[in-house]
PDB file of all heavy atoms in Angstrom:
ATOM      1  N   PHE A   1       2.212  54.075 -10.894  1.00 89.00           N
ATOM      2  CA  PHE A   1       1.035  54.934 -11.185  1.00 89.00           C
ATOM      3  C   PHE A   1       1.060  56.262 -10.768  1.00 89.00           C
ATOM      4  O   PHE A   1       0.285  57.132 -11.341  1.00 89.00           O
ATOM      5  CB  PHE A   1      -0.181  54.181 -10.368  1.00 89.00           C
ATOM      6  CG  PHE A   1      -0.595  52.845 -10.979  1.00 89.00           C
ATOM      7  CD1 PHE A   1      -0.425  51.680 -10.199  1.00 89.00           C
ATOM      8  CD2 PHE A   1      -1.266  52.824 -12.129  1.00 89.00           C
ATOM      9  CE1 PHE A   1      -0.770  50.434 -10.787  1.00 89.00           C
ATOM     10  CE2 PHE A   1      -1.698  51.599 -12.718  1.00 89.00           C
ATOM     11  CZ  PHE A   1      -1.458  50.409 -12.034  1.00 89.00           C
ATOM     12  N   LEU A   2       1.970  56.672  -9.913  1.00 91.00           N
ATOM     13  CA  LEU A   2       2.086  58.044  -9.495  1.00 91.00           C
ATOM     14  C   LEU A   2       3.092  58.802 -10.325  1.00 91.00           C
ATOM     15  O   LEU A   2       2.854  59.868 -10.903  1.00 91.00           O
ATOM     16  CB  LEU A   2       2.467  58.178  -8.036  1.00 91.00           C
ATOM     17  CG  LEU A   2       2.782  59.568  -7.532  1.00 91.00           C
ATOM     18  CD1 LEU A   2       1.475  60.452  -7.515  1.00 91.00           C
ATOM     19  CD2 LEU A   2       3.427  59.508  -6.069  1.00 91.00           C
ATOM     20  N   ILE A   3       4.295  58.200 -10.546  1.00 91.00           N
ATOM     21  CA  ILE A   3       5.421  59.032 -11.113  1.00 91.00           C
ATOM     22  C   ILE A   3       5.318  59.056 -12.630  1.00 91.00           C
ATOM     23  O   ILE A   3       5.655  60.124 -13.224  1.00 91.00           O
ATOM     24  CB  ILE A   3       6.712  58.370 -10.667  1.00 91.00           C
ATOM     25  CG1 ILE A   3       6.937  58.572  -9.129  1.00 91.00           C
ATOM     26  CG2 ILE A   3       7.973  59.113 -11.333  1.00 91.00           C
ATOM     27  CD1 ILE A   3       8.140  57.878  -8.556  1.00 91.00           C
ATOM     28  N   ILE A   4       4.825  57.946 -13.236  1.00 90.00           N
ATOM     29  CA  ILE A   4       4.825  58.076 -14.721  1.00 90.00           C
ATOM     30  C   ILE A   4       3.993  59.123 -15.287  1.00 90.00           C
ATOM     31  O   ILE A   4       4.342  59.878 -16.171  1.00 90.00           O
ATOM     32  CB  ILE A   4       4.296  56.687 -15.252  1.00 90.00           C
ATOM     33  CG1 ILE A   4       5.504  55.627 -15.107  1.00 90.00           C
ATOM     34  CG2 ILE A   4       3.884  56.707 -16.746  1.00 90.00           C
ATOM     35  CD1 ILE A   4       5.140  54.217 -15.501  1.00 90.00           C
ATOM     36  N   PRO A   5       2.742  59.374 -14.762  1.00 91.00           N
ATOM     37  CA  PRO A   5       1.968  60.536 -15.210  1.00 91.00           C
ATOM     38  C   PRO A   5       2.539  61.898 -14.919  1.00 91.00           C
ATOM     39  O   PRO A   5       2.485  62.835 -15.700  1.00 91.00           O
ATOM     40  CB  PRO A   5       0.589  60.446 -14.433  1.00 91.00           C
ATOM     41  CG  PRO A   5       0.528  58.970 -14.060  1.00 91.00           C
ATOM     42  CD  PRO A   5       1.930  58.598 -13.850  1.00 91.00           C
ATOM     43  N   ILE A   6       3.272  62.032 -13.777  1.00 92.00           N
ATOM     44  CA  ILE A   6       3.934  63.272 -13.408  1.00 92.00           C
ATOM     45  C   ILE A   6       5.071  63.615 -14.411  1.00 92.00           C
ATOM     46  O   ILE A   6       5.220  64.664 -14.911  1.00 92.00           O
ATOM     47  CB  ILE A   6       4.574  63.136 -11.954  1.00 92.00           C
ATOM     48  CG1 ILE A   6       3.393  63.104 -10.920  1.00 92.00           C
ATOM     49  CG2 ILE A   6       5.377  64.414 -11.649  1.00 92.00           C
ATOM     50  CD1 ILE A   6       3.907  62.939  -9.522  1.00 92.00           C
ATOM     51  N   VAL A   7       5.844  62.505 -14.728  1.00 90.00           N
ATOM     52  CA  VAL A   7       6.914  62.729 -15.832  1.00 90.00           C
ATOM     53  C   VAL A   7       6.353  63.144 -17.068  1.00 90.00           C
ATOM     54  O   VAL A   7       6.895  64.099 -17.719  1.00 90.00           O
ATOM     55  CB  VAL A   7       7.787  61.441 -15.836  1.00 90.00           C
ATOM     56  CG1 VAL A   7       8.776  61.567 -17.053  1.00 90.00           C
ATOM     57  CG2 VAL A   7       8.492  61.176 -14.607  1.00 90.00           C
ATOM     58  N   LEU A   8       5.322  62.521 -17.575  1.00 91.00           N
ATOM     59  CA  LEU A   8       4.665  62.890 -18.862  1.00 91.00           C
ATOM     60  C   LEU A   8       4.179  64.353 -18.856  1.00 91.00           C
ATOM     61  O   LEU A   8       4.441  65.032 -19.823  1.00 91.00           O
ATOM     62  CB  LEU A   8       3.478  61.958 -19.113  1.00 91.00           C
ATOM     63  CG  LEU A   8       3.842  60.498 -19.536  1.00 91.00           C
ATOM     64  CD1 LEU A   8       2.633  59.694 -19.658  1.00 91.00           C
ATOM     65  CD2 LEU A   8       4.623  60.480 -20.828  1.00 91.00           C
ATOM     66  N   VAL A   9       3.568  64.793 -17.767  1.00 91.00           N
ATOM     67  CA  VAL A   9       3.170  66.156 -17.596  1.00 91.00           C
ATOM     68  C   VAL A   9       4.364  67.196 -17.715  1.00 91.00           C
ATOM     69  O   VAL A   9       4.358  68.203 -18.354  1.00 91.00           O
ATOM     70  CB  VAL A   9       2.305  66.315 -16.370  1.00 91.00           C
ATOM     71  CG1 VAL A   9       1.990  67.894 -16.152  1.00 91.00           C
ATOM     72  CG2 VAL A   9       0.996  65.663 -16.486  1.00 91.00           C
ATOM     73  N   VAL A  10       5.421  66.852 -16.960  1.00 90.00           N
ATOM     74  CA  VAL A  10       6.598  67.698 -16.916  1.00 90.00           C
ATOM     75  C   VAL A  10       7.227  67.853 -18.282  1.00 90.00           C
ATOM     76  O   VAL A  10       7.484  68.893 -18.776  1.00 90.00           O
ATOM     77  CB  VAL A  10       7.600  67.144 -15.895  1.00 90.00           C
ATOM     78  CG1 VAL A  10       8.958  67.893 -16.091  1.00 90.00           C
ATOM     79  CG2 VAL A  10       7.125  67.360 -14.510  1.00 90.00           C
ATOM     80  N   VAL A  11       7.323  66.710 -18.922  1.00 89.00           N
ATOM     81  CA  VAL A  11       7.988  66.690 -20.290  1.00 89.00           C
ATOM     82  C   VAL A  11       7.061  67.414 -21.274  1.00 89.00           C
ATOM     83  O   VAL A  11       7.522  68.139 -22.081  1.00 89.00           O
ATOM     84  CB  VAL A  11       8.217  65.211 -20.872  1.00 89.00           C
ATOM     85  CG1 VAL A  11       8.689  65.206 -22.206  1.00 89.00           C
ATOM     86  CG2 VAL A  11       9.279  64.554 -19.919  1.00 89.00           C
ATOM     87  N   LEU A  12       5.795  67.205 -21.197  1.00 90.00           N
ATOM     88  CA  LEU A  12       4.836  67.965 -22.063  1.00 90.00           C
ATOM     89  C   LEU A  12       4.961  69.399 -21.898  1.00 90.00           C
ATOM     90  O   LEU A  12       4.926  70.220 -22.895  1.00 90.00           O
ATOM     91  CB  LEU A  12       3.394  67.451 -21.709  1.00 90.00           C
ATOM     92  CG  LEU A  12       2.315  68.000 -22.701  1.00 90.00           C
ATOM     93  CD1 LEU A  12       2.468  67.540 -24.067  1.00 90.00           C
ATOM     94  CD2 LEU A  12       0.885  67.620 -22.133  1.00 90.00           C
ATOM     95  N   LEU A  13       5.008  69.913 -20.670  1.00 90.00           N
ATOM     96  CA  LEU A  13       5.100  71.351 -20.482  1.00 90.00           C
ATOM     97  C   LEU A  13       6.431  71.964 -21.041  1.00 90.00           C
ATOM     98  O   LEU A  13       6.445  73.010 -21.534  1.00 90.00           O
ATOM     99  CB  LEU A  13       4.979  71.660 -18.959  1.00 90.00           C
ATOM    100  CG  LEU A  13       3.669  71.389 -18.291  1.00 90.00           C
ATOM    101  CD1 LEU A  13       3.690  71.601 -16.718  1.00 90.00           C
ATOM    102  CD2 LEU A  13       2.600  72.294 -18.913  1.00 90.00           C
ATOM    103  N   ILE A  14       7.533  71.129 -20.809  1.00 88.00           N
ATOM    104  CA  ILE A  14       8.777  71.634 -21.344  1.00 88.00           C
ATOM    105  C   ILE A  14       8.732  71.806 -22.877  1.00 88.00           C
ATOM    106  O   ILE A  14       9.182  72.699 -23.449  1.00 88.00           O
ATOM    107  CB  ILE A  14       9.942  70.714 -20.897  1.00 88.00           C
ATOM    108  CG1 ILE A  14      10.138  70.834 -19.394  1.00 88.00           C
ATOM    109  CG2 ILE A  14      11.209  71.086 -21.652  1.00 88.00           C
ATOM    110  CD1 ILE A  14      11.148  69.851 -18.910  1.00 88.00           C
ATOM    111  N   LEU A  15       8.154  70.745 -23.474  1.00 88.00           N
ATOM    112  CA  LEU A  15       8.044  70.772 -24.975  1.00 88.00           C
ATOM    113  C   LEU A  15       7.190  71.976 -25.480  1.00 88.00           C
ATOM    114  O   LEU A  15       7.458  72.561 -26.386  1.00 88.00           O
ATOM    115  CB  LEU A  15       7.517  69.493 -25.487  1.00 88.00           C
ATOM    116  CG  LEU A  15       8.430  68.242 -25.375  1.00 88.00           C
ATOM    117  CD1 LEU A  15       7.733  66.993 -25.823  1.00 88.00           C
ATOM    118  CD2 LEU A  15       9.670  68.461 -26.338  1.00 88.00           C
ATOM    119  N   ALA A  16       6.070  72.163 -24.706  1.00 89.00           N
ATOM    120  CA  ALA A  16       5.147  73.228 -25.156  1.00 89.00           C
ATOM    121  C   ALA A  16       5.905  74.634 -25.085  1.00 89.00           C
ATOM    122  O   ALA A  16       5.723  75.520 -25.905  1.00 89.00           O
ATOM    123  CB  ALA A  16       3.901  73.234 -24.208  1.00 89.00           C
ATOM    124  N   LEU A  17       6.701  74.812 -24.002  1.00 87.00           N
ATOM    125  CA  LEU A  17       7.388  76.082 -23.824  1.00 87.00           C
ATOM    126  C   LEU A  17       8.498  76.178 -24.890  1.00 87.00           C
ATOM    127  O   LEU A  17       8.694  77.283 -25.407  1.00 87.00           O
ATOM    128  CB  LEU A  17       8.032  76.158 -22.471  1.00 87.00           C
ATOM    129  CG  LEU A  17       6.988  76.270 -21.266  1.00 87.00           C
ATOM    130  CD1 LEU A  17       7.731  76.131 -19.951  1.00 87.00           C
ATOM    131  CD2 LEU A  17       6.279  77.626 -21.307  1.00 87.00           C
ATOM    132  N   LEU A  18       9.153  75.128 -25.130  1.00 85.00           N
ATOM    133  CA  LEU A  18      10.212  75.152 -26.149  1.00 85.00           C
ATOM    134  C   LEU A  18       9.729  75.390 -27.540  1.00 85.00           C
ATOM    135  O   LEU A  18      10.273  76.217 -28.354  1.00 85.00           O
ATOM    136  CB  LEU A  18      11.074  73.850 -26.106  1.00 85.00           C
ATOM    137  CG  LEU A  18      12.272  73.774 -27.033  1.00 85.00           C
ATOM    138  CD1 LEU A  18      13.347  74.678 -26.623  1.00 85.00           C
ATOM    139  CD2 LEU A  18      12.793  72.336 -26.972  1.00 85.00           C
ATOM    140  N   LEU A  19       8.755  74.653 -27.993  1.00 86.00           N
ATOM    141  CA  LEU A  19       8.260  74.678 -29.291  1.00 86.00           C
ATOM    142  C   LEU A  19       7.093  75.716 -29.455  1.00 86.00           C
ATOM    143  O   LEU A  19       6.712  75.961 -30.710  1.00 86.00           O
ATOM    144  CB  LEU A  19       7.751  73.262 -29.741  1.00 86.00           C
ATOM    145  CG  LEU A  19       8.795  72.137 -29.729  1.00 86.00           C
ATOM    146  CD1 LEU A  19       8.170  70.763 -30.033  1.00 86.00           C
ATOM    147  CD2 LEU A  19       9.972  72.472 -30.694  1.00 86.00           C
ATOM    148  N   ARG A  20       6.619  76.243 -28.471  1.00 87.00           N
ATOM    149  CA  ARG A  20       5.546  77.293 -28.404  1.00 87.00           C
ATOM    150  C   ARG A  20       4.365  76.802 -29.219  1.00 87.00           C
ATOM    151  O   ARG A  20       3.863  77.452 -30.147  1.00 87.00           O
ATOM    152  CB  ARG A  20       6.085  78.622 -29.019  1.00 87.00           C
ATOM    153  CG  ARG A  20       6.951  79.394 -28.007  1.00 87.00           C
ATOM    154  CD  ARG A  20       7.781  80.427 -28.676  1.00 87.00           C
ATOM    155  NE  ARG A  20       8.985  79.966 -29.484  1.00 87.00           N
ATOM    156  CZ  ARG A  20       9.803  80.591 -30.204  1.00 87.00           C
ATOM    157  NH1 ARG A  20       9.607  81.873 -30.378  1.00 87.00           N
ATOM    158  NH2 ARG A  20      10.791  80.077 -30.847  1.00 87.00           N
ATOM    159  N   ALA A  21       3.994  75.567 -28.943  1.00 89.00           N
ATOM    160  CA  ALA A  21       2.761  74.869 -29.622  1.00 89.00           C
ATOM    161  C   ALA A  21       2.165  73.932 -28.752  1.00 89.00           C
ATOM    162  O   ALA A  21       2.720  73.653 -27.638  1.00 89.00           O
ATOM    163  CB  ALA A  21       3.278  74.170 -30.943  1.00 89.00           C
ATOM    164  N   VAL A  22       0.969  73.468 -29.109  1.00 92.00           N
ATOM    165  CA  VAL A  22       0.229  72.431 -28.400  1.00 92.00           C
ATOM    166  C   VAL A  22       0.283  71.082 -29.036  1.00 92.00           C
ATOM    167  O   VAL A  22       0.516  70.067 -28.499  1.00 92.00           O
ATOM    168  CB  VAL A  22      -1.155  72.867 -28.146  1.00 92.00           C
ATOM    169  CG1 VAL A  22      -2.011  71.813 -27.534  1.00 92.00           C
ATOM    170  CG2 VAL A  22      -1.212  74.145 -27.252  1.00 92.00           C
ATOM    171  N   VAL A  23       0.076  71.155 -30.373  1.00 92.00           N
ATOM    172  CA  VAL A  23      -0.023  69.869 -31.211  1.00 92.00           C
ATOM    173  C   VAL A  23       1.341  69.191 -31.186  1.00 92.00           C
ATOM    174  O   VAL A  23       1.360  67.955 -30.920  1.00 92.00           O
ATOM    175  CB  VAL A  23      -0.517  70.199 -32.650  1.00 92.00           C
ATOM    176  CG1 VAL A  23      -0.476  68.933 -33.425  1.00 92.00           C
ATOM    177  CG2 VAL A  23      -1.940  70.744 -32.621  1.00 92.00           C
ATOM    178  N   ALA A  24       2.398  69.895 -31.470  1.00 91.00           N
ATOM    179  CA  ALA A  24       3.766  69.255 -31.623  1.00 91.00           C
ATOM    180  C   ALA A  24       4.082  68.474 -30.322  1.00 91.00           C
ATOM    181  O   ALA A  24       4.493  67.280 -30.389  1.00 91.00           O
ATOM    182  CB  ALA A  24       4.770  70.233 -31.975  1.00 91.00           C
ATOM    183  N   PRO A  25       3.966  69.088 -29.121  1.00 92.00           N
ATOM    184  CA  PRO A  25       4.334  68.366 -27.890  1.00 92.00           C
ATOM    185  C   PRO A  25       3.443  67.123 -27.648  1.00 92.00           C
ATOM    186  O   PRO A  25       3.992  66.111 -27.280  1.00 92.00           O
ATOM    187  CB  PRO A  25       4.104  69.394 -26.753  1.00 92.00           C
ATOM    188  CG  PRO A  25       4.158  70.750 -27.456  1.00 92.00           C
ATOM    189  CD  PRO A  25       3.698  70.507 -28.856  1.00 92.00           C
ATOM    190  N   LEU A  26       2.152  67.151 -27.985  1.00 93.00           N
ATOM    191  CA  LEU A  26       1.312  66.000 -27.851  1.00 93.00           C
ATOM    192  C   LEU A  26       1.786  64.867 -28.779  1.00 93.00           C
ATOM    193  O   LEU A  26       1.817  63.637 -28.403  1.00 93.00           O
ATOM    194  CB  LEU A  26      -0.057  66.377 -28.078  1.00 93.00           C
ATOM    195  CG  LEU A  26      -0.708  67.235 -27.005  1.00 93.00           C
ATOM    196  CD1 LEU A  26      -2.141  67.754 -27.509  1.00 93.00           C
ATOM    197  CD2 LEU A  26      -0.884  66.534 -25.654  1.00 93.00           C
ATOM    198  N   VAL A  27       2.131  65.259 -30.023  1.00 92.00           N
ATOM    199  CA  VAL A  27       2.557  64.232 -30.977  1.00 92.00           C
ATOM    200  C   VAL A  27       3.968  63.587 -30.456  1.00 92.00           C
ATOM    201  O   VAL A  27       4.038  62.386 -30.548  1.00 92.00           O
ATOM    202  CB  VAL A  27       2.760  64.837 -32.344  1.00 92.00           C
ATOM    203  CG1 VAL A  27       3.447  63.970 -33.275  1.00 92.00           C
ATOM    204  CG2 VAL A  27       1.430  65.296 -32.945  1.00 92.00           C
ATOM    205  N   LEU A  28       4.795  64.453 -30.042  1.00 91.00           N
ATOM    206  CA  LEU A  28       6.132  63.978 -29.606  1.00 91.00           C
ATOM    207  C   LEU A  28       5.981  63.048 -28.362  1.00 91.00           C
ATOM    208  O   LEU A  28       6.653  62.001 -28.300  1.00 91.00           O
ATOM    209  CB  LEU A  28       7.035  65.084 -29.285  1.00 91.00           C
ATOM    210  CG  LEU A  28       7.411  65.941 -30.553  1.00 91.00           C
ATOM    211  CD1 LEU A  28       8.375  67.044 -30.157  1.00 91.00           C
ATOM    212  CD2 LEU A  28       8.085  65.141 -31.603  1.00 91.00           C
ATOM    213  N   ILE A  29       5.179  63.427 -27.423  1.00 91.00           N
ATOM    214  CA  ILE A  29       4.903  62.569 -26.258  1.00 91.00           C
ATOM    215  C   ILE A  29       4.357  61.221 -26.628  1.00 91.00           C
ATOM    216  O   ILE A  29       4.771  60.224 -26.157  1.00 91.00           O
ATOM    217  CB  ILE A  29       3.943  63.271 -25.241  1.00 91.00           C
ATOM    218  CG1 ILE A  29       4.712  64.420 -24.543  1.00 91.00           C
ATOM    219  CG2 ILE A  29       3.413  62.304 -24.302  1.00 91.00           C
ATOM    220  CD1 ILE A  29       5.675  63.877 -23.462  1.00 91.00           C
ATOM    221  N   ALA A  30       3.396  61.265 -27.575  1.00 91.00           N
ATOM    222  CA  ALA A  30       2.791  60.034 -28.075  1.00 91.00           C
ATOM    223  C   ALA A  30       3.865  59.060 -28.703  1.00 91.00           C
ATOM    224  O   ALA A  30       3.895  57.842 -28.465  1.00 91.00           O
ATOM    225  CB  ALA A  30       1.682  60.367 -29.008  1.00 91.00           C
ATOM    226  N   THR A  31       4.726  59.738 -29.411  1.00 91.00           N
ATOM    227  CA  THR A  31       5.789  58.837 -30.149  1.00 91.00           C
ATOM    228  C   THR A  31       6.760  58.228 -29.069  1.00 91.00           C
ATOM    229  O   THR A  31       7.219  57.158 -29.217  1.00 91.00           O
ATOM    230  CB  THR A  31       6.586  59.711 -31.183  1.00 91.00           C
ATOM    231  OG1 THR A  31       7.239  60.761 -30.548  1.00 91.00           O
ATOM    232  CG2 THR A  31       5.648  60.192 -32.203  1.00 91.00           C
ATOM    233  N   VAL A  32       7.118  59.024 -28.095  1.00 87.00           N
ATOM    234  CA  VAL A  32       7.977  58.569 -27.062  1.00 87.00           C
ATOM    235  C   VAL A  32       7.303  57.476 -26.239  1.00 87.00           C
ATOM    236  O   VAL A  32       8.031  56.373 -25.893  1.00 87.00           O
ATOM    237  CB  VAL A  32       8.539  59.649 -26.146  1.00 87.00           C
ATOM    238  CG1 VAL A  32       9.296  59.169 -25.028  1.00 87.00           C
ATOM    239  CG2 VAL A  32       9.405  60.616 -26.963  1.00 87.00           C
ATOM    240  N   VAL A  33       6.144  57.618 -25.914  1.00 89.00           N
ATOM    241  CA  VAL A  33       5.394  56.570 -25.161  1.00 89.00           C
ATOM    242  C   VAL A  33       5.309  55.258 -25.941  1.00 89.00           C
ATOM    243  O   VAL A  33       5.441  54.183 -25.435  1.00 89.00           O
ATOM    244  CB  VAL A  33       4.025  57.063 -24.735  1.00 89.00           C
ATOM    245  CG1 VAL A  33       3.219  55.859 -24.183  1.00 89.00           C
ATOM    246  CG2 VAL A  33       4.062  58.098 -23.714  1.00 89.00           C
ATOM    247  N   LEU A  34       5.028  55.418 -27.250  1.00 92.00           N
ATOM    248  CA  LEU A  34       5.047  54.225 -28.114  1.00 92.00           C
ATOM    249  C   LEU A  34       6.439  53.585 -28.225  1.00 92.00           C
ATOM    250  O   LEU A  34       6.516  52.369 -28.229  1.00 92.00           O
ATOM    251  CB  LEU A  34       4.560  54.619 -29.606  1.00 92.00           C
ATOM    252  CG  LEU A  34       4.533  53.533 -30.635  1.00 92.00           C
ATOM    253  CD1 LEU A  34       3.539  52.402 -30.134  1.00 92.00           C
ATOM    254  CD2 LEU A  34       4.058  54.079 -31.949  1.00 92.00           C
ATOM    255  N   SER A  35       7.430  54.417 -28.262  1.00 91.00           N
ATOM    256  CA  SER A  35       8.754  53.834 -28.307  1.00 91.00           C
ATOM    257  C   SER A  35       9.090  53.082 -26.962  1.00 91.00           C
ATOM    258  O   SER A  35       9.766  52.009 -27.012  1.00 91.00           O
ATOM    259  CB  SER A  35       9.871  54.974 -28.462  1.00 91.00           C
ATOM    260  OG  SER A  35      11.087  54.548 -28.334  1.00 91.00           O
ATOM    261  N   PHE A  36       8.683  53.667 -25.877  1.00 91.00           N
ATOM    262  CA  PHE A  36       8.861  53.010 -24.549  1.00 91.00           C
ATOM    263  C   PHE A  36       8.170  51.675 -24.463  1.00 91.00           C
ATOM    264  O   PHE A  36       8.696  50.596 -24.114  1.00 91.00           O
ATOM    265  CB  PHE A  36       8.364  53.853 -23.479  1.00 91.00           C
ATOM    266  CG  PHE A  36       7.988  53.155 -22.166  1.00 91.00           C
ATOM    267  CD1 PHE A  36       9.053  52.669 -21.302  1.00 91.00           C
ATOM    268  CD2 PHE A  36       6.694  52.960 -21.792  1.00 91.00           C
ATOM    269  CE1 PHE A  36       8.771  52.003 -20.111  1.00 91.00           C
ATOM    270  CE2 PHE A  36       6.416  52.304 -20.533  1.00 91.00           C
ATOM    271  CZ  PHE A  36       7.426  51.851 -19.818  1.00 91.00           C
ATOM    272  N   ALA A  37       6.944  51.651 -24.961  1.00 92.00           N
ATOM    273  CA  ALA A  37       6.073  50.392 -24.980  1.00 92.00           C
ATOM    274  C   ALA A  37       6.709  49.293 -25.876  1.00 92.00           C
ATOM    275  O   ALA A  37       6.811  48.196 -25.419  1.00 92.00           O
ATOM    276  CB  ALA A  37       4.706  50.735 -25.393  1.00 92.00           C
ATOM    277  N   SER A  38       7.182  49.727 -27.063  1.00 94.00           N
ATOM    278  CA  SER A  38       7.828  48.790 -27.898  1.00 94.00           C
ATOM    279  C   SER A  38       9.102  48.222 -27.332  1.00 94.00           C
ATOM    280  O   SER A  38       9.450  47.022 -27.480  1.00 94.00           O
ATOM    281  CB  SER A  38       8.037  49.362 -29.332  1.00 94.00           C
ATOM    282  OG  SER A  38       8.800  50.563 -29.184  1.00 94.00           O
ATOM    283  N   ALA A  39       9.860  49.111 -26.706  1.00 93.00           N
ATOM    284  CA  ALA A  39      11.124  48.676 -26.103  1.00 93.00           C
ATOM    285  C   ALA A  39      10.904  47.728 -24.924  1.00 93.00           C
ATOM    286  O   ALA A  39      11.540  46.696 -24.752  1.00 93.00           O
ATOM    287  CB  ALA A  39      11.911  49.940 -25.579  1.00 93.00           C
TER     288      ALA A  39
END
């Protein structure tokens, strides 16, 4: 309950800085979480 949200925030910030966007990082995070859940 503590670490999973922290990791998501860290990854989201890195994607936002790399892609210089807001929508793209949110979409990518959603796809990875869905991938994790299905796995």
Side-chain angles (χ1 to χ4, degrees):
F1 286 111
L2 175 66
I3 296 175
I4 286 176
I6 293 175
V7 171
L8 287 175
V9 171
V10 168
V11 173
L12 184 65
L13 291 175
I14 292 175
L15 288 173
L17 291 172
L18 179 68
L19 300 176
R20 287 165 281 177
V22 172
V23 175
L26 290 172
V27 169
L28 295 181
I29 283 287
T31 63
V32 171
V33 170
L34 179 59
S35 176
F36 160 73
S38 59

